[in-house]
C-alpha cells in the first residue's frame, strides 16, 4: 500500500475559491446596519468616519478601501476610494481624512476619484424622498500594493486587486434624507 507523499491534515479548514477570509471592520461613529451620523454626510460636515479593523493576515502588504452606495439610481455610486494603505498604519483610520491625493493621515496611501468627480471622501447624499440607502465600507487586505495613478477609478482599483485579496471586511451604514 502506498501512502500519499503529502497527506492533507483533516484539521485544515477549507474555503471556496475566490472567497477571502473575513476581516473585522467597524466604526466608533455607527454600528453595523446603524445610521451614519449627519456629520459624515453631505448634509453635515462631510467628514469621513473613523474606521477600525482587526488583526490583518500576516501576508498583508497593502490595504484598499471602497465606500459605495449600491442603492443609488446608477450603482455602484462611489463615495470613497483608497489604495496602498500600509498595513503598519495601525488598526484604523481617523475621522476626517483630508481630501486630496495623498493626505498625511493615510501615511503614503493614495485616494481615488469618487462619483462626485472629486478626490477623497464624499459623504452620503441620497436623493430627497428616497428611503434610507446602504453605504458599504469594504476593506481589502492585499498581498501586494496596487500602485495606481492619481485620480484612479473604482474599476482600476478592482482590476488591480484581482488575485491579491487575502482578507476582506465590510461595514454597512444607513442614511436617508427627509
Amino acid at each position: 500500500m502506498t501512502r500519499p507523499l503529502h497527506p492533507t491534515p483533516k484539521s485544515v479548514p477549507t474555503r471556496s475559491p475566490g472567497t477571502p477570509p473575513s476581516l473585522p471592520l467597524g466604526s466608533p461613529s455607527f454600528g453595523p446596519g446603524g445610521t451614519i451620523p449627519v456629520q459624515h454626510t453631505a448634509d453635515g460636515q462631510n467628514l469621513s468616519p473613523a474606521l477600525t479593523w482587526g488583526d490583518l493576515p500576516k501576508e498583508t502588504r497593502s490595504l484598499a478601501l471602497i465606500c459605495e452606495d449600491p442603492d443609488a439610481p446608477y450603482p455602484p455610486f462611489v463615495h470613497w476610494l483608497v489604495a496602498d494603505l500600509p498595513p503598519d498604519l495601525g488598526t484604523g483610520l481617523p475621522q476626517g481624512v483630508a481630501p486630496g491625493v495623498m493626505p498625511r493621515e493615510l501615511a503614503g496611501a493614495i485616494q481615488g476619484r469618487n462619483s462626485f468627480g472629486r478626490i477623497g471622501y464624499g459623504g452620503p447624499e441620497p436623493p430627497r424622498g428616497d428611503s434610507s440607502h446602504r453605504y458599504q465600507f469594504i476593506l481589502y487586505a492585499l498581498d501586494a500594493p496596487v500602485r495606481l495613478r492619481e485620480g484612479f477609478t473604482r474599476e482600476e482599483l478592482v482590476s488591480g486587486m484581482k488575485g491579491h485579496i487575502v482578507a476582506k471586511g465590510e461595514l454597512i451604514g444607513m442614511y436617508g434624507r427627509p
Side-chain angles (χ1 to χ4, degrees), residues 30-99:
F30 61 95
T35 299
I36 297 173
V38 137
Q39 69 187 17
H40 301 300
T41 73
D43 295 328
Q45 296 168 280
N46 214 15
L47 297 173
S48 62
L51 296 174
T52 59
W53 50 80
D55 291 336
L56 301 171
K58 66 178 180 214
E59 62 268 32
T60 303
R61 300 292 174 265
S62 177
L63 299 166
L65 177 72
I66 296 175
C67 174
E68 59 192 12
D69 174 0
D71 300 322
Y74 304 102
F77 193 93
V78 176
H79 287 267
W80 199 12
L81 297 171
V82 182
D84 296 336
L85 280 162
D88 60 0
L89 183 66
T91 57
L93 293 178
Q95 173 179 286
V97 171

Side-chain angles (χ1 to χ4, degrees), residues 3 15 22 26 30 39 50 56 106 110 120 128 144 157 170:
R3 295 196 299 194
R15 59 184 166 89
S22 181
F30 61 95
Q39 69 187 17
L56 301 171
L106 299 183
I110 184 170
R128 293 200 185 276
L157 178 56
E170 181 177 34

Side-chain angles (χ1 to χ4, degrees), residues 2-175:
T2 60
R3 295 196 299 194
L5 293 175
H6 303 287
T8 304
K10 290 184 170 55
S11 63
V12 174
T14 59
R15 59 184 166 89
S16 59
T19 306
S22 181
L23 179 63
L25 181 62
S27 175
S29 298
F30 61 95
T35 299
I36 297 173
V38 137
Q39 69 187 17
H40 301 300
T41 73
D43 295 328
Q45 296 168 280
N46 214 15
L47 297 173
S48 62
L51 296 174
T52 59
W53 50 80
D55 291 336
L56 301 171
K58 66 178 180 214
E59 62 268 32
T60 303
R61 300 292 174 265
S62 177
L63 299 166
L65 177 72
I66 296 175
C67 174
E68 59 192 12
D69 174 0
D71 300 322
Y74 304 102
F77 193 93
V78 176
H79 287 267
W80 199 12
L81 297 171
V82 182
D84 296 336
L85 280 162
D88 60 0
L89 183 66
T91 57
L93 293 178
Q95 173 179 286
V97 171
V101 177
M102 295 179 80
R104 64 177 170 71
E105 302 95 336
L106 299 183
I110 184 170
Q111 296 189 103
R113 187 169 305 282
N114 59 41
S115 292
F116 298 109
R118 298 185 298 265
I119 302 291
Y121 178 77
E125 191 176 351
R128 293 200 185 276
D130 270 17
S131 59
S132 285
H133 284 212
R134 294 170 294 158
Y135 295 87
Q136 298 171 314
F137 293 81
I138 307 165
L139 182 70
Y140 298 90
L142 308 170
D143 64 6
V146 184
R147 303 197 196 289
L148 296 169
R149 63 176 174 74
E150 186 175 312
F152 68 89
T153 66
R154 179 189 185 279
E155 292 73 24
E156 290 168 326
L157 178 56
V158 169
S159 177
M161 291 190 303
K162 279 187 181 149
H164 295 285
I165 300 170
V166 296
K168 175 182 167 184
E170 181 177 34
L171 172 65
I172 296 177
M174 307 293 292
Y175 186 71

